[in-house]
Amino acid sequence: MTKSYLQRWKIMRLGNRSAFLKHNLIMFGATSLSSVLSFLYQVYLVRNLYPYEFGLFNSLLAIISIISIPLGALQALSAHLVSSFVALGQIFKIKYYILKIIKMVFWISLFFLTVFFALSSKINIFLKADSLLLIFILGITLVFYFFLPITQGGLQGLQKFSFLGLNVTVHSFSRLIIGIILFNLGLRLEGALSAFGISTLLAIILSYIGLENSCTSVRNESLRDCYSEGIELFNPLKYFLPTAIGLLCFMVLTNVDMILVKHFFKPQEA
């Protein structure tokens, strides 16, 4: 019996190691391809935008990085909750809690967008953008980045790495294609920036569909059970907040120079 147990343990260990290697290779390939596609988009814009347009575009990208990278901590929060329910065999609760996080983030993003639009004129003047439309597009794009980590984190928690890798690749590929199309339609900088928002929305929809298909349907009694149990989001949130604040501080330090250069220098120099 001991020998049989050891054999089963070795087989299980080899299987786990194989799955771990497979998942890592999938995500490594997906993120590498995503980086290449992002680089190609940058090259395309370098060759087609005027110098002063590219300077403004980089300052807008710096703002996107400052906001979106800290929000990536939401992916860890979502993955933690989903993987916990998977471990407990309570997959039917995943949809309820993902929607609960989305609802919470919706109100936060709505407040953020309201404040952003209220300050849009000052942001426009500070960046010397001379286009409120660009600032509005930037605000809407940033709101989409609030939601993408939630659905992608759900896929991560379910260990649907093939679908997650596909989602990451589609995000970058659609941005490249949409950006080129909009640019050639004459939208130029507005089109180049809009591609970020549209591709992020597509990635959210695609990842949510994958998450929906991976979960069993949620019955009304299941929803009541979830609510009555009163599982709080506080414990995961107390880890999310310091991580997000730390990432925010780091991203400000590494990207604020792009924004300040755009403000203090002449457009061509910037």
Side-chain angles (χ1 to χ4, degrees):
M1 290 181 65
T2 303
K3 185 177 181 181
S4 176
Y5 172 79
L6 287 174
Q7 288 176 342
R8 289 199 302 270
W9 180 79
K10 288 180 180 178
I11 292 172
M12 182 176 66
R13 184 179 179 186
L14 288 173
N16 290 338
R17 185 181 299 174
S18 176
F20 178 77
L21 179 61
K22 177 185 176 183
H23 294 159
N24 273 276
L25 288 174
I26 289 173
M27 292 311 301
F28 176 78
T31 52
S32 298
L33 181 56
S34 174
S35 298
V36 171
L37 292 170
S38 297
F39 173 72
L40 291 176
Y41 189 46
Q42 284 281 339
V43 171
Y44 177 83
L45 293 177
V46 166
R47 291 180 59 85
N48 290 278
L49 287 174
Y50 297 123
Y52 71 89
E53 288 179 320
F54 191 73
L56 176 57
F57 180 74
N58 272 336
S59 64
L60 297 174
L61 281 189
I63 295 175
I64 291 177
S65 297
I66 289 173
I67 301 298
S68 65
I69 299 299
L71 288 173
L74 279 171
Q75 185 165 337
L77 168 64
S78 179
H80 170 77
L81 286 173
V82 171
S83 60
S84 297
F85 287 129
V86 171
L88 293 171
Q90 300 174 340
I91 298 179
F92 64 90
K93 295 182 180 180
I94 292 174
K95 181 179 177 181
Y96 171 77
Y97 276 94
I98 287 293
L99 291 175
K100 187 174 183 179
I101 297 174
I102 289 175
K103 182 179 179 180
M104 177 184 68
V105 171
F106 170 79
W107 292 111
I108 294 173
S109 63
L110 186 62
F111 173 77
F112 168 83
L113 189 63
T114 303
V115 174
F116 191 89
F117 280 175
L119 298 174
S120 59
S121 296
K122 294 184 178 180
I123 297 172
N124 183 47
I125 294 171
F126 185 86
L127 294 176
K128 302 176 183 177
D130 297 327
S131 173
L132 274 177
L133 178 59
L134 268 178
I135 306 303
F136 290 153
I137 294 173
L138 175 64
I140 295 171
T141 298
L142 289 173
V143 165
F144 290 147
Y145 276 98
F146 275 79
F147 297 95
L148 183 58
I150 302 172
T151 51
Q152 287 188 340
L155 293 174
Q156 181 181 339
L158 287 168
Q159 297 186 26
K160 299 295 181 180
F161 292 103
S162 296
F163 204 96
L164 178 58
L166 175 65
N167 189 258
V168 170
T169 304
V170 168
H171 188 197
S172 295
F173 180 73
S174 60
R175 181 171 59 221
L176 173 65
I177 300 302
I178 293 170
I180 293 175
I181 291 173
L182 293 178
F183 187 89
N184 283 280
L185 288 175
L187 295 178
R188 296 191 66 80
L189 196 52
E190 288 79 4
L193 185 61
S194 295
F196 280 81
I198 297 172
S199 62
T200 303
L201 178 60
L202 289 176
I204 293 170
I205 295 171
L206 181 63
S207 55
Y208 185 80
I209 291 173
L211 193 61
E212 176 83 16
N213 292 338
S214 300
C215 298
T216 55
S217 59
V218 182
R219 305 184 304 275
N220 290 331
E221 57 268 24
S222 299
L223 288 175
R224 287 197 296 271
D225 291 342
C226 290
Y227 184 78
S228 62
E229 287 178 9
I231 299 176
E232 298 293 337
L233 294 176
F234 174 75
N235 288 332
L237 278 174
K238 71 180 181 181
Y239 297 108
F240 159 75
L241 290 175
T243 302
I245 292 171
L247 287 171
L248 176 63
C249 293
F250 177 76
M251 294 310 297
V252 168
L253 286 173
T254 54
N255 287 274
V256 73
D257 57 330
M258 300 295 295
I259 301 172
L260 294 177
V261 163
K262 186 65 184 71
H263 174 72
F264 288 108
F265 284 75
K266 296 178 181 178
Q268 192 78 9
E269 293 173 334

